[in-house]
Amino acid sequence: MRCHTCGDETSPADNECQNCYTPHGQPALTPGQPTYPVRGIGTAASVAVGATALLYGVVALFPLVGVVLAGRARESQDPDVLLGAVLVEVVLSLPFLLAYLTAAVLVIIWTWRARKNLDAFPGALPHLGAGWAIAGWLVPFANFVMPARVVANLARDSLWKRFTPGLVSVWWAAWLAFSVGERLVSRRDDRAYARLPEQPRFDTEFRWYADFYREALGWHLIPLAACLVAAVSLIVLIRRISVAQEQRIALGRPAWPGYAGWPAPGAPSGYFGPAQPYAGSPPRAAAEPTVASPEVPPGAGGTIGA
């Protein structure tokens, strides 16, 4: 007996497949439950997340520009050069904010679609409703826990895991470190910058600006490292979950040997698919083979009756 979802051999002594945990006799997809494509939106979300991480890297390394401009301001004794550093920082921050908002929207859409697909997977045990895939990111304080729980459910039930994969913990720990660390570093920068003289006049005062940017660079490296780890982890999770769900959805489509599209994409070798009724009209039975009568030569019929 083979599992309808993964194609593994199953034992009647077990109530479910020991590989994918689908109950015996259940198809790969629950009939009547809608499913949603996740690979395309997952790819878009991954690109946006990667772009956000790279752009934040540019923002985090901006103090290098500040050090250079502070040195030029000291040489020329021109405080207006320092205003150029502020302008460059603002210009670099705008693309990062745009990419951040785009990534947030795409990740939320992907999370909601992937969570809705769990409702169509027999054996899946989601602990939270699909609404938390959206509200979990937006509700204050709940957004410290709920997104991780939703993605943990996705990883377990999509990748056939008994326990939450460790990559989910790595992603969420890095994300929290980035979110909290970036806010703390920004507040520290604001307080330190407020203590600087608005119109430096002496070499010492110009040097204070250079020292400020050097210290800021060291502090910004902490959230930058966390941002890169979180981005890479999330991209890997999105890709793995999307591929696994798309393969299962393909296995649940009605398919018959010998017809276009057989076997379903992602089907294991030797797997003959779930015993589901055909969606359209049933296939016709093969016609009985006919044996052609031997051709009788002209004139031979008269000799038979003779």
Side-chain angles (χ1 to χ4, degrees):
M1 180 179 180
R2 287 185 177 272
C3 173
H4 293 166
T5 299
C6 66
D8 274 14
E9 291 287 346
T10 60
S11 171
D14 301 320
N15 294 325
E16 61 184 12
C17 174
Q18 297 304 297
N19 180 42
C20 67
Y21 317 120
T22 302
H24 287 339
Q26 293 289 325
L29 297 178
T30 302
Q33 282 287 352
T35 57
Y36 301 85
V38 291
R39 183 172 294 184
I41 189 68
T43 300
S46 298
V47 172
V49 168
T52 302
L54 293 178
L55 290 172
Y56 179 74
V58 174
V59 174
L61 297 178
F62 158 76
L64 292 173
V65 178
V67 172
V68 174
L69 294 180
R72 293 181 179 178
R74 178 187 174 190
E75 293 174 357
S76 63
Q77 295 293 305
D78 185 5
D80 292 339
V81 177
L82 296 173
L83 296 178
V86 177
L87 179 61
V88 172
E89 184 178 11
V90 172
V91 171
L92 293 178
S93 299
L94 291 178
F96 163 71
L97 292 176
L98 179 60
Y100 182 88
L101 293 175
T102 303
V105 172
L106 292 176
V107 169
I108 289 175
I109 295 174
W110 174 85
T111 306
W112 183 84
R113 286 189 179 185
R115 169 57 189 84
K116 288 291 290 182
N117 285 342
L118 294 186
D119 295 334
F121 295 168
L125 299 173
H127 302 301
L128 298 171
W132 281 110
I134 301 174
W137 291 98
L138 305 177
V139 177
F141 300 107
N143 53 14
F144 284 94
V145 178
M146 289 304 180
R149 293 189 60 188
V150 173
V151 175
N153 248 162
L154 293 178
R156 287 195 303 268
D157 291 333
S158 301
L159 303 177
W160 305 339
K161 302 291 184 181
R162 286 289 187 185
F163 303 100
T164 301
L167 190 60
V168 176
S169 301
V170 173
W171 160 65
W172 193 243
W175 168 255
L176 291 179
F178 163 70
S179 301
V180 176
E182 195 274 335
R183 287 176 173 83
L184 294 177
V185 169
S186 296
R187 291 179 182 178
R188 177 205 166 274
D189 289 348
D190 292 340
R191 290 193 299 266
Y193 194 86
R195 291 194 295 266
L196 295 173
E198 294 183 5
Q199 292 292 330
R201 293 173 296 175
F202 309 107
D203 285 354
T204 302
E205 293 179 344
F206 283 105
R207 192 179 298 114
W208 288 346
Y209 274 89
D211 293 341
F212 161 76
Y213 285 117
R214 290 192 187 95
E215 292 180 6
L217 176 62
W219 284 102
H220 278 265
L221 292 179
I222 299 174
L224 174 59
C227 177
L228 294 177
V229 172
V232 172
S233 302
L234 181 57
I235 290 172
V236 173
L237 284 171
I238 289 175
R239 180 183 179 278
R240 290 180 180 177
I241 293 172
S242 298
V243 170
Q245 287 200 357
E246 291 282 357
Q247 288 179 347
R248 181 160 184 170
I249 292 172
L251 288 173
R253 293 170 182 159
W256 298 90
Y259 287 84
W262 180 266
S269 176
Y271 173 56
F272 292 97
Q276 296 183 0
Y278 189 66
S281 58
R284 298 180 179 179
E288 291 288 340
T290 56
V291 179
S293 301
E295 295 184 1
V296 180
T303 61
I304 295 176

